[in-house]
Amino acid sequence: MSFRNFKMVDYVVYGRGSLNQLDEILAPQRKGDAPMIFFVDQFFAGNNAFLSRLPLRGKDKVVLIDVTHEPKTTYVDALKDALKAEFGTVSGIVGIGGGSVMDMTKAVSLMMTNPGSSADYQGWDLVKLPGVYKAGIPTISGTGAEVSRTTVLTGPVRKLGMNSDYTPFDQIVLDPDLLKTVPVNQRFYTAMDCFIHCVESLTGTYLNAFSKAYGEKAQDLCEEIFLHRSDWDETSDEKLMMASYAGGMSIAYSQVGVAHAVSYGLSYLLGTKHGIGNCIVFDKLGEFYPEGVEKFKKMVALHNIEIPQGITKGLSDADFDKMIDVSYGLPPLWENALGKNWKEQMPKERLRALYEQF
């Protein structure tokens, strides 16, 4: 029997105010006068109080990342080309923001050293060379992108991650103070990505003690924050940041399931953001995850969150076929959810009927 040799993040610093250590963390990674590039979520544009905290040295540059849409391979390639044209090489890339910025940082880091287009590397273990140094600093928690070995990208024909041992960050900085500016609805949608990770991992066929230990703790933390109370206190951001980390670790040695497999189709066709897309789908998955969906609906009601409805109404047969093809292109997710005979349990007709509910 062969066990996967799991690559983790090399270094983790956790604590309120830990962003202030970034200068000393980056110093040993600087290579001559090659700059550090700071990919910063466009949410912070004009926020000089925040941007002034970044330890810019020499030719270092801040690049505001447009997160209007899910990360695209064309965007990754354009950023890579621009950096190579301006600097030739860089010391590293530091991503500061949500899951989309984490994914863009990991992807551009890899493409600074690997030839061709990022679309060439959508799949499992296709990346052949280590990227430039990369650090992740999440300012919203739930996706687990700060710890995962994938960077999820929408390409010309698919939405699929660059899954490889070269993808994880070299360093992450977990500073709960950075979560306080997140809008309430967005915080919920992204946190539910973590909760749904855990439900899918803990009920999947790939479940093992490693995944279970992290998944149970992450789910407990999500429920402490969103199921057992309606307010937000000073410990909530700390719990959510660690739930995201543990949730990401849970799926690292197992897999996600039906909600993610289906929401990828929505995202590819309609551009639905990952967190809210998972919520739209999970809301209708009571037959697959009865206990998890019941808890989810209670959390939605308790926090007065709106889950969009009717987003697939009026789509053409070709549209539904495209979503089904994207979803079907994720066999590990379906196998984790339904077993090796998943295609018999989820024929395209059944998947079409499921998409019509959204």
Side-chain angles (χ1 to χ4, degrees), residues 195 198 215-225 228 295:
F195 176 75
C198 297
E216 286 180 340
K217 186 59 185 176
Q219 184 170 333
D220 285 348
L221 287 168
C222 287
E223 292 178 12
E224 279 182 41
I225 303 165
H228 302 311
K295 289 179 178 178

Side-chain angles (χ1 to χ4, degrees), residues 244-306:
S244 179
Y245 179 89
M249 291 293 291
S250 175
I251 59 170
Y253 215 80
S254 62
Q255 249 312 341
V256 286
V258 177
H260 279 74
V262 175
S263 73
Y264 274 34
L266 290 179
S267 175
Y268 182 88
L269 185 77
L270 303 175
T272 313
K273 287 292 195 73
H274 186 68
I276 195 169
N278 280 336
C279 289
I280 290 168
V281 174
F282 197 67
D283 191 49
K284 310 292 187 187
L285 296 185
E287 62 181 311
F288 300 98
Y289 306 109
E291 185 179 344
V293 173
E294 183 182 357
K295 289 179 178 178
F296 171 78
K297 288 181 180 291
K298 287 180 180 177
M299 290 188 279
V300 168
L302 183 62
H303 294 270
N304 196 28
I305 301 295
E306 181 180 345

Side-chain angles (χ1 to χ4, degrees), residues 88-163:
T89 187
V90 300
S91 289
I93 304 177
V94 181
I96 304 169
S100 291
V101 177
M102 299 294 104
D103 283 345
M104 289 298 298
T105 302
K106 292 188 285 187
V108 176
S109 162
L110 294 174
M111 294 314 300
M112 292 297 290
T113 55
N114 285 274
S117 165
S118 53
D120 300 334
Y121 302 97
Q122 286 182 277
W124 278 265
D125 299 307
L126 300 176
V127 180
K128 301 305 180 189
L129 298 170
V132 298
Y133 175 83
K134 52 191 176 297
I137 306 173
T139 61
I140 183 171
S141 286
T143 68
E146 64 272 23
V147 294
S148 74
R149 76 186 294 271
T150 189
T151 168
V152 181
L153 302 174
T154 301
V157 296
R158 63 177 65 88
K159 179 181 176 183
L160 190 62
M162 297 167 68
N163 293 270

Side-chain angles (χ1 to χ4, degrees), residues 40-235:
V40 179
D41 193 314
Q42 64 184 4
F43 176 83
F44 293 102
N47 186 340
N48 293 329
F50 176 77
L51 295 174
S52 66
R53 297 179 65 190
L54 303 182
L56 302 181
R57 301 281 177 261
K59 295 190 294 184
D60 288 1
K61 183 174 185 176
V62 172
V63 177
L64 293 175
I65 299 299
D66 185 350
V67 295
T68 307
H69 307 288
E70 293 277 281
K72 289 181 168 59
T73 54
T74 50
Y75 193 15
V76 171
D77 294 348
L79 285 171
K80 173 260 296 182
D81 289 342
L83 290 177
K84 285 190 171 183
E86 184 173 358
F87 300 111
T89 187
V90 300
S91 289
I93 304 177
V94 181
I96 304 169
S100 291
V101 177
M102 299 294 104
D103 283 345
M104 289 298 298
T105 302
K106 292 188 285 187
V108 176
S109 162
L110 294 174
M111 294 314 300
M112 292 297 290
T113 55
N114 285 274
S117 165
S118 53
D120 300 334
Y121 302 97
Q122 286 182 277
W124 278 265
D125 299 307
L126 300 176
V127 180
K128 301 305 180 189
L129 298 170
V132 298
Y133 175 83
K134 52 191 176 297
I137 306 173
T139 61
I140 183 171
S141 286
T143 68
E146 64 272 23
V147 294
S148 74
R149 76 186 294 271
T150 189
T151 168
V152 181
L153 302 174
T154 301
V157 296
R158 63 177 65 88
K159 179 181 176 183
L160 190 62
M162 297 167 68
N163 293 270
S164 82
D165 282 349
Y166 298 120
T167 307
F169 282 111
D170 300 295
Q171 170 80 56
I172 58 175
V173 177
L174 302 178
D175 184 343
D177 279 345
L178 299 179
L179 303 188
K180 60 189 174 189
T181 57
V182 181
V184 173
N185 272 28
Q186 185 58 55
R187 181 172 66 201
F188 184 88
Y189 296 141
T190 309
M192 286 303 101
D193 186 19
C194 177
F195 176 75
I196 294 165
H197 279 163
C198 297
V199 172
E200 291 176 315
S201 174
L202 292 170
T203 57
T205 63
Y206 290 6
L207 185 62
N208 52 70
F210 183 100
S211 298
K212 188 177 181 185
Y214 282 106
E216 286 180 340
K217 186 59 185 176
Q219 184 170 333
D220 285 348
L221 287 168
C222 287
E223 292 178 12
E224 279 182 41
I225 303 165
F226 294 103
L227 186 61
H228 302 311
R229 60 187 307 161
S230 60
D231 60 334
W232 187 265
D233 74 359
E234 60 186 18
T235 67

Side-chain angles (χ1 to χ4, degrees), residues 11-34:
Y11 290 93
V12 181
V13 59
Y14 169 84
R16 291 190 182 278
S18 56
L19 177 65
N20 297 331
Q21 288 179 228
L22 189 56
D23 196 18
E24 64 181 88
I25 288 170
L26 296 180
Q29 308 302 330
R30 294 183 178 276
K31 295 176 170 58
D33 64 352

